[in-house]
Amino acid sequence: AGAQMTVKLASLAPDGSIWDLATEEMGADWATATDGRVRLRIYPGGVAGDEPDVVRKMRIGQLQAASLTVGGLTEIDDAFRIFGVPLFFASYDELFHVLDALSPELERRLEAKGYVLLNWAHAGWVHLFSSRPVKTIDELKRSKLFVAAGDDSTVQWWKQNGYRPVALATTDILTGLQTGMVESLPSPPLAALLLQWYRQAPYMLDIGIAPLVGATLVQSRVWDRISAEDRAALLASAGRLGEKLEREVPEQDGEAVREMQARGLEVVAVPASEEARFRAAAEEFAERVRGERLPPEILNQALAARGAYRARQGAAAGGAEP
Amino acid sequence: MVAAALVAMALLPLAEIVARGLFGRGIPGAGPFTQHLTLWVAFLGAALAARDGKLLALATGEFVPAGRWRDATRLFSSAVAAAVTGLLLWACLELVVSEREAGTVVAAGLPIWVAQLALPIGFALIAWRLVDRASDRRWGKAVAALGLAAGLAAGWHVFRLSRDFALEPEPFGPALPWLLLVGAATLLGAPIFAALGGAAVLLLLAEGVPAAAVPAETYRLVASQMLPAIPLFTLAGFLLAEGKASERLVRVFRGLFGSVPGGTAVVCALVCAFFTAFTGGSGVTILALGALLLQALRQERYSERFSLGLLTASGSLGLLFAPALPLILYGIVAQVPIEELFLGGIGPGLLLVVLVAAWGVREGLRGKVERQPFAWREALAALWLGKWELLLPAVILFVILTGIATPVEASAVAVVYALAVQAFIHRDLSLTRDLPRVLRECGVLIGGVLLILGVAMGLTNYLVDAQIPSRLVEWAQDSIGSRILFLLGLNLLLLAVGCLMDVFSAIVVVVPLIVPLGVAFGVDPVHLGIIFVANLELGYLTPPVGLNLFLASYRFDKPLLEIWRAALPWLAILGFGVLLITYWPGLTLGVLELLGRR
Ligand code: NA
Ligand code: NA
């Protein structure tokens, strides 16, 4: 401890986006809080590669930290697949409650793989965008659904549940939509706006598919070389950053939807009866992928936490009624 | 083994298209398996290239007088190359060990580390061949083996330090003397991969970054999603070059354009453009068609200088047409949709062909070369005979643009199409006698190229790690006032790059530097890609690393200087075309606008 160190951090967040700006702010914080003993060098916008590449570079010791989303986190531990189960979470509030319950176990798993969790950095909520309106679960099953190529088990999840996943590179989405090779894709609204996907897929399903959970990690072997005092300061700064994103990201997604609506996006409302069918299909989906590279104990824990939250909400709502 | 892997690479994406079409769900892991097969094709192909002594090297080594001096430089450059290979071998093992600990899988339970074994196995075979070919004498081989042993020892040293997380910057002292040593060996004829890989490892180690960062990037590129399109389209080109497709094409273009003044010169430009689009600047065009076309030109009394210049220059025409490899590689590195580059390249590609053809017409008028009269019957008969070859580019664009296939799958379609045309329709190619040989030759070429690209990615990794692209953007935004100035600077820079690097490594190393600049100056990414490739096309004709100059010199058995002099006017014509392409974005983007993509 006491020596100077540079922590190299990579992320997919575009240069200048709120995530990137927040990370830069954290870097400035870190330098001040530790009198320059810990400096952050940021590689934004995927210059260090896609998330699996970033994780690989952390393993070989080129990078020491990263802000990852579900894709990169599942490269480290399968438990993070829980955040990829469609329609598992109904709202941010529900997500935060389940996350609180799961955090100790997830942090333990990360520690076992040699990482320390600095914060949860939320990246938005994934919605379904489609080239034709998708209102029912049957229409969704008939639609050719984009799935990011590379992680074959996610592709298999969708197949097992009777959907038509088409594995493509993210760069091929626009062409895929234009040519009809894919007809629908899950995406956070901001990404759909920035990458212009909404122009070819101008219908957005009103139900959020899944949160795009992100986390900032640092390698334990680097972390352990920092003095306890400095570590506390760094963690506090990272925590502030996470809270800030927790507030700003949902607002930003809302703005993105309004912006796209002004340019022709149609938000497809789903009748309550059909929403129930969507939720039921999702429950089945979660059960069917139990054990398929999704650790059962994580699913059980998440179900229990979610059940408790829903019961409380139900009771609160019930109590409020006359 | 390379042949089997190539065949599997072509069949998997096809099976995927069929399964997706029939059952709507495709084959589990077809994509990831094809990508990792590419890794094996690349490194086994590279090992074969090393065995045949066909690893690409600078031709500067040939200037050393034959005899004792040549033997000494060959030994020196081989020993240094073997040392670098030894260092890279340990770097690959470091990657494989770390991947194994992480327990990652390709698909269907196949661990990634098993697929990655292609890297250390490939480098081990290459090291062995480098030592074996270093000298004809036993003591010479022993000296090269010492070089290898030194590289392995150095690699083992940093491997252990990295595994203990105890690696400090500059483990072998300042990097500069070592870089100079590698540079000298490269000038004296060491393979280019050793220069790029050596520089990458030394620069990264000097920063305290583990050597495994080089193969990590090699793996990232060679096993990336779009990359299988490169070996597959090359294979399609090889299959076409093998049959009598070239004769049929010459007949078609002659039937159509033989009657205009300078008709044969125009025919040469068209045939070369067509072939290069498939073989992608690998020089196959000059090697496969050079003799045939030179004979045709000389028969009609075009001057030797004109004919040599035309054929040398035409060897790089067509790099802007689908499915040329530089376009695909640019799309992969810059993350631009490949078919948009294909569409964007049509206008600029035609412009260059027209410019070259126009110069040929001028020569035809001036030299009063005899013309053949236009004959409908012959033109139609030739078109009918050549219809299958002529349709191939259209088939490729059709399957991509209608959503039947991704670019990788389209490349597999192209292979099977070319094979069917050559083997079953025209019966020019025997499946048992010719196909294994063609597969092997293609594997050697692909291996040589992908090996260079893979290690060049390591060098790119250093540039990114040192944050050079973002610093360059800051500098350029402060000191370059306008887009016009930026484009002018880009032209000059790329001309210099083209003089020193081959088009493929230039794309891998320089594109990550240029793309953020292009965004900062508001240049459309597709236009930037076309400018980039068109500029580097000139590099094929510029010394000292002008590939076409060497190939033409080799194929036509003429001194390099004579070829260069003959190519000079053509360089000026193509240079004019490149300036037009650069400052007239509509030429590139017009087709995209027509299709509603801009
Ligand atoms: Na930034
Ligand atoms: Na050159």
Side-chain angles (χ1 to χ4, degrees):
Chain A
Q4 254 197 20
M5 75 160 78
T6 301
V7 174
K8 296 180 187 169
L9 179 148
S11 89
L12 288 193
D15 198 356
S17 63
I18 59 168
W19 298 275
D20 180 48
L21 294 178
T23 314
E24 281 180 13
E25 202 182 309
M26 182 171 87
D29 264 9
W30 282 20
T32 332
T34 62
D35 284 329
R37 284 186 297 277
V38 180
R39 291 185 180 277
L40 198 60
R41 194 193 280 183
I42 305 164
Y43 298 89
V47 293
D50 217 340
E51 292 195 346
D53 305 314
V54 167
V55 173
R56 181 169 295 112
K57 285 184 182 173
M58 283 203 282
R59 278 201 305 260
I60 62 175
Q62 179 170 18
L63 297 169
Q64 291 80 41
S67 289
L68 299 170
T69 63
V70 182
L73 293 169
T74 52
E75 281 280 314
I76 296 173
D77 195 286
D78 278 335
F80 289 93
R81 289 182 192 277
I82 187 71
F83 301 114
V85 178
L87 297 156
F88 191 86
F89 301 98
S91 67
Y92 271 110
D93 238 15
E94 194 170 292
L95 167 69
F96 294 149
H97 276 85
V98 176
L99 207 49
D100 277 345
L102 286 187
S103 271
E105 168 66 9
L106 292 175
E107 285 184 48
R108 195 192 59 72
R109 282 170 173 263
L110 283 174
E111 231 175 85
K113 302 273 162 85
Y115 298 95
V116 174
L117 177 82
L118 292 181
N119 64 20
W120 295 104
H122 295 282
W125 206 286
V126 173
H127 279 71
L128 187 83
F129 290 80
S130 55
S131 50
R132 278 174 297 165
V134 169
K135 279 199 189 72
T136 65
I137 194 81
D138 298 319
E139 280 170 343
L140 180 58
K141 284 190 175 179
R142 277 199 301 274
S143 161
K144 293 183 219 162
L145 178 72
F146 163 82
V147 180
D151 177 22
D152 199 55
S153 33
T154 311
V155 181
Q156 299 311 319
W157 274 14
W158 288 99
K159 280 184 189 172
Q160 283 163 6
N161 282 281
Y163 296 84
R164 298 175 67 186
V166 178
L168 284 183
T170 316
T171 43
D172 285 345
I173 290 180
L174 211 51
T175 310
L177 287 168
Q178 278 162 340
T179 61
M181 184 176 257
V182 292
E183 293 159 339
S184 50
L185 76 143
S187 162
L190 187 66
L193 173 66
L194 291 179
L195 300 167
Q196 308 272 305
W197 292 331
Y198 76 97
R199 288 168 60 180
Q200 298 296 327
Y203 300 96
M204 189 185 100
L205 193 64
D206 203 11
I207 313 175
I209 302 286
L212 190 54
V213 170
T216 307
L217 313 179
V218 63
Q219 281 181 313
S220 324
R221 58 173 185 258
V222 176
W223 190 247
D224 294 343
R225 284 184 7 225
I226 302 172
S227 71
E229 198 182 323
D230 282 351
R231 283 200 301 237
L234 301 184
L235 262 184
S237 157
R240 275 196 302 279
L241 160 84
E243 280 163 25
K244 185 176 167 175
L245 289 174
E246 209 168 277
R247 275 194 315 276
E248 288 183 0
V249 169
E251 285 169 25
Q252 191 177 258
D253 264 352
E255 265 169 46
V257 172
R258 281 190 293 281
E259 169 92 35
M260 286 187 285
Q261 276 178 310
R263 298 196 213 163
L265 178 83
E266 194 181 310
V267 177
V268 179
V270 176
S273 59
E274 192 56 35
E275 180 167 350
R277 291 195 61 209
F278 267 105
R279 300 261 167 230
E283 297 306 308
E284 258 180 65
F285 195 113
E287 277 313 313
R288 214 170 273 153
V289 298
R290 174 194 291 274
E292 297 274 334
R293 308 210 61 198
L294 171 61
E297 63 275 20
I298 288 289
L299 181 59
N300 294 341
Q301 219 178 333
L303 282 169
R306 193 186 67 176
Y309 171 79
R310 286 185 181 173
R312 263 207 315 278
Q313 290 302 104
E321 272 164 22
Chain B
M1 211 163 148
V2 175
L6 259 173
V7 170
M9 269 185 70
L11 293 181
L12 258 175
L14 279 178
E16 166 77 15
I17 303 178
V18 172
R20 201 171 51 216
L22 291 181
F23 318 114
R25 46 184 55 185
I27 296 169
F33 279 128
T34 310
Q35 288 157 235
H36 287 84
L37 273 170
T38 313
L39 200 63
W40 282 90
V41 167
F43 275 83
L44 293 179
L48 275 181
R51 177 177 155 181
D52 297 356
K54 280 189 185 155
L55 288 174
L56 293 178
L58 299 191
T60 40
E62 305 289 310
F63 293 129
V64 179
R68 200 193 281 168
W69 282 107
R70 176 82 67 91
D71 289 346
T73 54
R74 177 174 137 202
L75 181 53
F76 168 70
S77 60
S78 303
V80 173
V84 170
T85 313
L87 199 55
L88 287 170
L89 178 57
W90 273 110
C92 295
L93 288 172
E94 198 179 324
L95 174 71
V96 171
V97 170
S98 124
E99 201 74 37
R100 189 170 166 198
E101 286 166 355
T104 48
V105 290
V106 176
L110 177 74
I112 287 184
W113 73 267
V114 174
Q116 282 178 346
L117 281 177
L119 291 154
I121 290 174
F123 278 119
L125 290 171
I126 291 168
W128 170 41
R129 295 299 181 185
L130 283 171
V131 168
D132 192 45
R133 299 183 66 94
S135 167
D136 300 330
R137 294 158 202 268
R138 202 174 279 163
W139 67 264
K141 292 183 202 226
V143 171
L146 277 178
L148 175 59
L152 286 171
W156 165 240
H157 178 62
V158 291
F159 173 86
R160 276 195 336 195
L161 287 175
S162 308
R163 295 288 303 160
D164 296 342
F165 308 113
L167 186 69
E168 296 289 332
E170 302 196 332
F172 307 121
L176 191 64
W178 300 109
L179 287 169
L180 289 176
L181 181 73
V182 172
T186 310
L187 282 177
L188 293 174
I192 292 172
F193 92 86
L196 295 170
V201 170
L202 289 169
L203 287 167
L204 284 166
L205 282 175
E207 298 276 306
V209 176
V214 174
E217 289 291 277
T218 309
Y219 169 76
R220 172 178 160 204
L221 177 78
V222 181
S224 68
Q225 256 189 327
M226 286 297 151
L227 205 88
I230 290 182
L232 290 176
F233 277 128
T234 309
L235 180 56
F238 263 72
L239 290 168
L240 285 186
E242 187 61 25
K244 293 204 183 73
S246 47
E247 284 165 38
R248 282 189 290 275
L249 286 171
V250 170
R251 197 176 147 196
V252 169
F253 290 125
R254 243 187 171 161
L256 293 175
F257 301 103
S259 60
V260 299
T264 307
V266 176
V267 170
C268 286
L270 290 169
V271 175
C272 287
F274 188 93
F275 253 83
T276 309
F278 279 93
T279 52
S282 54
V284 176
T285 308
I286 293 179
L287 294 180
L289 303 180
L292 176 79
L293 295 176
L294 184 66
Q295 193 193 3
L297 286 166
R298 297 291 286 137
Q299 263 170 13
E300 299 188 7
R301 310 223 177 79
Y302 287 91
S303 76
E304 176 164 67
R305 190 153 159 185
F306 171 85
S307 308
L308 287 176
L310 170 64
L311 291 177
T312 310
S314 302
S316 64
L317 280 182
L319 286 183
L320 294 175
F321 291 122
L325 306 190
L327 293 181
I328 299 176
L329 188 64
Y330 186 92
I332 294 171
V333 176
Q335 306 249 308
V336 177
I338 286 164
E339 72 290 340
E340 292 203 347
L341 289 167
F342 285 175
L343 293 170
I346 293 174
L350 284 176
L351 172 76
L352 293 184
V353 171
V354 165
L355 284 176
V356 167
W359 195 254
V361 170
R362 175 183 164 277
E363 176 78 10
L365 287 171
R366 239 180 35 164
K368 304 211 167 44
V369 174
E370 48 186 293
R371 301 188 226 167
Q372 61 180 70
F374 185 78
W376 275 108
R377 190 183 290 270
E378 163 59 18
L380 289 177
L383 266 178
W384 186 246
L385 196 65
K387 62 182 177 300
W388 296 111
E389 282 92 357
L390 290 169
L391 274 176
L392 182 50
V395 167
I396 291 167
L397 279 177
F398 175 80
V399 292
I400 296 177
L401 294 178
T402 51
I404 295 173
T406 63
V408 171
E409 291 160 2
S411 68
V413 170
V415 167
V416 173
Y417 182 99
L419 185 64
V421 169
Q422 299 301 315
F424 303 120
I425 297 181
H426 292 303
R427 298 184 179 280
D428 286 346
L429 184 109
S430 150
L431 287 184
T432 49
R433 213 177 45 243
D434 302 325
L435 188 60
R437 176 176 49 80
V438 175
L439 287 172
R440 185 184 187 280
E441 280 171 14
C442 180
V444 167
L445 181 90
I446 284 302
V449 171
L450 290 186
L451 175 67
I452 292 178
L453 296 189
V455 293
M457 277 296 282
L459 200 56
T460 310
N461 189 0
Y462 164 75
L463 297 178
V464 169
D465 193 88
Q467 296 191 307
I468 291 173
S470 48
R471 281 190 218 159
L472 200 63
V473 170
E474 275 168 33
W475 172 83
Q477 277 178 325
D478 288 346
S479 48
I480 302 178
S482 71
R483 185 186 333 189
I484 299 286
L485 274 180
F486 164 67
L487 288 173
L488 190 67
L490 183 66
N491 282 143
L492 292 174
L493 172 79
L494 291 179
L495 196 64
V497 167
C499 286
L500 296 172
M501 287 175 104
D502 69 286
V503 64
F504 295 108
S505 352
I507 289 176
V508 170
V509 177
V510 183
V511 166
L513 298 175
I514 300 296
V515 166
L517 286 173
V519 172
F521 284 97
V523 180
D524 188 283
V526 172
H527 186 213
L528 188 67
I530 299 299
I531 295 173
F532 200 94
V533 176
N535 243 296
L536 289 177
E537 235 183 80
L538 298 181
Y540 278 92
L541 299 174
T542 55
V545 196
L547 190 64
N548 282 6
L549 300 176
F550 291 115
L551 291 172
S553 153
Y554 163 77
R555 190 76 187 85
F556 304 128
D557 201 15
K558 298 277 181 226
L560 201 56
L561 210 60
E562 189 180 328
I563 297 281
W564 193 55
R565 221 168 38 210
L568 215 50
W570 300 94
L571 186 62
I573 296 166
L574 290 176
F576 172 68
V578 168
L579 286 179
L580 270 180
I581 291 167
T582 308
Y583 298 101
W584 178 17
L587 185 65
T588 303
L589 303 175
V591 177
L592 292 164
E593 274 161 21
L594 269 178
L595 292 172
R597 296 200 170 207
R598 279 295 177 281

